[in-house]
Amino acid sequence: MTIETDAIVVGSGASATSAAFPLVRAGLTVRMLDVGNVDARYSRLIPDAPFSEIRASDSAQHRYFLGDEFEGVPFGHLRVGAQLTPPRRHITQDTDTLTPVAADNFSGMESLALGGLGAGWGAVAVQFDAKDLEGYPIGQADLAPHYASVSARIGISGERDDLLRFYGDCASLQPPLDLDANAQLLLESYARKKHDMNRRGIHLGRARLAVLSKDLGERRAQQYRDMDFYSDSERSVFRPAFAVDELRGHAKFRYESPYLVERFRELDGGVEVDALHVASGRVERLRARRLVLAAGTLGSARIVLRSLDRYDTPLPLVANPYTYVPCLSLGRVGKAAPERRHSLTQVGVIYEPPADRDGPFPRVHAQAYSYRSLLLFKLVKEAPLPVPSAFRIMRELVNAFVILGIHHEDRPSAGKRCVLRRAGPGERDRLEVTYHETPEVEARQARAEKGLLRGFRNLGCWPLKRIRPGNGASIHYGGTLPMCREERELSATPEGRLRGTRSVFVADGSLLPHLPAKALTLTLMANAERVGSILARDLTGGAA
Amino acid sequence: MSTLEQNQISKAALTAEGALFARYLRGKPASQTALERYEAGCEALFAEPPSPEDEAISRFLERHPWTLPWLDAATALLLPQALLRKKLLLLLAILETLPENAQWCEPHPSHRALVLARLCLWGATSALKAAGGAVLLPFALRTRFVGSASGS
């Protein structure tokens, strides 16, 4: 049997594109299969202008701020994706029908968009250190060359400050982005009280972001228009869709959509996939020497369970618990805010609480944001006050709000799992997610949060309310097909090969056995590139 | 009554409701654009028939529009998912995205003490309205029983 395609890569997100690069660079023939939804409605309406100019002049602004169907006006309790603005809504388009997830207490967000969940990435790009990688079958030395290569490719800006030893270094690091006024005050206060803060285990520094402070190729440096939640016009914030564009420049690479890969079966010398052509409804069979699954933690789990006919078999699942805390920066009350700013995180925080009588605390990672371009009515909605009073109060205080997003680590346990249930007639298989953390772990997380917030109060940032938007709200998922050294079914080798198969590799969050508190996307990309490199060497007989 | 006539009545009711809410939120009459968007927003977001509580509050407000600030304050505390509150937030979102209101939505830098004094004042008036609204709210909710008993 002759198979002309060397590798099929499933998905087009941060992991998929990172796995594809070493393959195409090795001269291999790669087909990327993706549903590839894009925003065809709003992005073309958004002017290349600063937020306040748009607010004062664009009579069509309601379309992209609120949505033509008012989908940007969220009601009800906060859930995952509350900050997905109308121009980002395509990220979750069609997932309810094509990749249904059933869960009572877990919001599992998947994406069938070009660029996957990366199309809405907050762009925090930090490395895992030795402590984060404890329990992984790979170490820092395995990831280091790939962190360097991915960082140079996507462009990362930041400072070599107090967080350097936590975030790692890279030779290509661009200068940090300009700070906004809230962040500047926070970091000044930290500098004055650094000794006390470090004694408490609190370390602050400039955000490390996949956002350009200098031009890189055809992408422009950040323009500080505060429209980053709506528009990618200057391409300063990295999106995996840009990597797809770059990959398309290689003659042996083909991006094919709208295909939803449903299952695979191994053949002699290769693998065959069933891919649903979403527009026509027909299923096509495509063959390659190797298959790389990078459809996202939940998506890849679904494909594997269906292909191996392991319906009703539980897989582990981890997801960083997430809390966000609106804080008031007292020193900024009544002050004006400079117009020039970006919308993404400004300050990074690592908290390593001192051990207490119950033992050591896991590390906590937090990010501080300012608030403006998501509009006031979303803040008003959260206040138990009459609407006009809440509006006046929020308007008065908005320049002094610091939103602290706190992530905790997550480790697998019996209460956290996902199971594929077979579809009834006319339905699609449903991924059922159960997520129950033990009360002891939740209590430890709450105590760690209190310690961190005490420190923030000391920095002049007063926490107003702790909000837990629910399990899964971090949109950081992993651990469904964990890489490990021991022979275990439904797991992967440290090289990313799915155990029990010869030709199927996994290259996304499924591989990470547990999730440290730090943002995971840069590690997903570095690890995917590592898997892609191993595969390239395998397919070229070691020449790549 | 024909469907067309019913639609015209419900459209007129929504326009009247939007005008009342806009005066309450903005302190001046709403533009035609804002009212049209409000109507479209209600159709998109609140297509389901209202709950008996929401229906009762709506009817009470039609008869006693002066109670709006009090009922808003009470529902903010006691019934945060009430349709009244959602509709007010929808109109606020619409007003916020009109260019002529850009200045209205901007914070006005001033001395910290002045800001804190204003916050205290707004907080106190909100508390008073909530207290008054908590007294009014049971009357508003009772409307549905009166309505049901009279067969409407």
Side-chain angles (χ1 to χ4, degrees), chain B residues 7-10 14 21 23 25 27 30 35 46 57 60 64 81 84 98 111 115 119 122 134 137:
Chain B
N7 285 347
Q8 278 168 345
I9 288 171
S10 78
L14 269 182
F21 289 176
R23 268 196 306 275
L25 293 175
L35 293 177
F46 313 125
I57 292 172
F60 189 80
H64 312 289
Q81 293 301 316
L84 168 64
L98 287 169
H111 194 276
V115 174
L119 295 183
W122 292 330
L137 191 59

Side-chain angles (χ1 to χ4, degrees), chain A residues 493-514:
Chain A
T493 65
E495 293 75 32
R497 184 178 51 78
L498 181 67
R499 285 207 166 84
T501 70
R502 296 177 304 276
S503 321
V504 180
F505 286 72
V506 184
D508 56 25
S510 319
L511 290 177
L512 307 188
H514 63 84

Side-chain angles (χ1 to χ4, degrees), chain A residues 193-492:
Chain A
K193 299 176 178 177
K194 190 171 155 180
H195 180 71
D196 176 48
M197 285 295 125
N198 291 171
R199 191 181 51 77
R200 293 166 184 256
I202 298 174
H203 307 267
L204 262 66
R206 306 282 282 260
R208 187 73 70 85
L209 295 169
V211 182
L212 303 181
S213 57
K214 295 195 298 188
D215 292 355
L216 180 70
E218 289 177 4
R219 292 170 53 208
R220 300 276 78 84
Q222 171 67 221
Q223 297 297 304
Y224 301 98
R225 293 182 181 132
D226 200 9
M227 286 296 288
D228 304 290
F229 291 135
Y230 302 93
S231 165
D232 296 321
S233 63
E234 81 270 5
R235 294 186 156 212
S236 88
V237 182
F238 173 77
R239 301 287 171 214
F242 308 158
V244 174
D245 287 345
E246 199 180 329
L247 286 162
R248 279 171 158 156
H250 292 262
K252 291 189 170 179
F253 175 85
R254 270 163 63 192
Y255 174 80
E256 295 176 77
S257 70
Y259 284 104
L260 179 71
V261 171
E262 304 208 285
R263 69 178 76 233
F264 61 79
R265 68 189 70 78
E266 287 207 285
L267 313 165
D268 279 343
V271 63
E272 183 175 70
V273 300
D274 288 351
L276 172 71
H277 188 267
V278 173
S280 67
R282 71 176 184 273
V283 174
E284 294 182 21
R285 290 191 166 171
L286 307 165
R287 290 177 175 183
R289 291 166 67 198
R290 299 287 184 272
L291 174 66
V292 182
L293 295 175
T297 293
L298 302 178
S300 292
R302 187 184 281 109
I303 294 169
V304 167
L305 291 171
R306 190 185 287 129
S307 304
L308 303 180
D309 200 20
R310 298 299 297 267
Y311 288 92
D312 308 320
T313 304
L315 290 181
L317 175 69
V318 283
N320 290 123
Y322 178 63
T323 300
Y324 69 92
V325 185
C327 304
L328 194 62
S329 172
L330 291 182
R332 293 272 309 130
V333 172
K335 301 268 174 64
E339 175 50 43
R340 193 173 174 278
R341 64 210 284 191
H342 66 83
S343 324
L344 303 168
T345 184
Q346 300 276 337
V347 173
V349 185
I350 291 283
Y351 180 41
E352 295 190 307
D356 68 1
R357 63 181 188 282
D358 295 328
F361 281 91
R363 183 186 275 174
V364 170
H365 187 213
Q367 287 110 35
Y369 302 79
S370 295
Y371 189 98
R372 187 175 67 153
S373 63
L374 289 173
L375 304 182
L376 286 172
F377 75 90
K378 288 180 190 159
L379 290 178
V380 171
K381 174 174 156 278
E382 300 304 317
L385 294 167
V387 174
S389 303
F391 175 74
R392 286 189 206 109
I393 290 171
M394 296 304 173
R395 182 183 58 189
E396 208 73 38
L397 296 179
V398 71
N399 285 343
F401 277 134
V402 172
I403 313 291
L404 195 62
I406 305 172
H407 287 94
H408 298 276
E409 70 159 28
D410 198 22
R411 291 178 181 274
S413 65
K416 296 179 267 190
R417 59 186 190 277
C418 60
V419 180
L420 190 66
R421 303 292 186 199
R422 199 184 292 275
E427 295 174 343
R428 296 190 63 80
D429 297 339
R430 198 176 68 242
L431 197 67
E432 244 176 52
V433 178
T434 311
Y435 190 99
H436 294 290
E437 188 50 278
T438 63
E440 292 76 23
V441 171
E442 284 181 346
R444 298 286 282 169
Q445 289 168 357
R447 265 158 59 194
E449 286 171 10
K450 279 184 186 160
L452 176 61
L453 296 178
R454 265 197 302 274
F456 259 68
R457 212 169 288 137
N458 222 344
L459 293 173
C461 244
W462 282 74
L464 302 175
K465 190 180 180 184
R466 267 195 295 163
I467 300 168
R468 270 249 165 147
N471 301 318
S474 62
I475 324 178
H476 293 177
Y477 314 130
T480 44
L481 302 161
M483 52 182 169
C484 54
R485 293 208 180 279
E486 65 271 22
E487 285 294 327
R488 221 167 65 193
E489 66 165 2
L490 295 171
S491 71

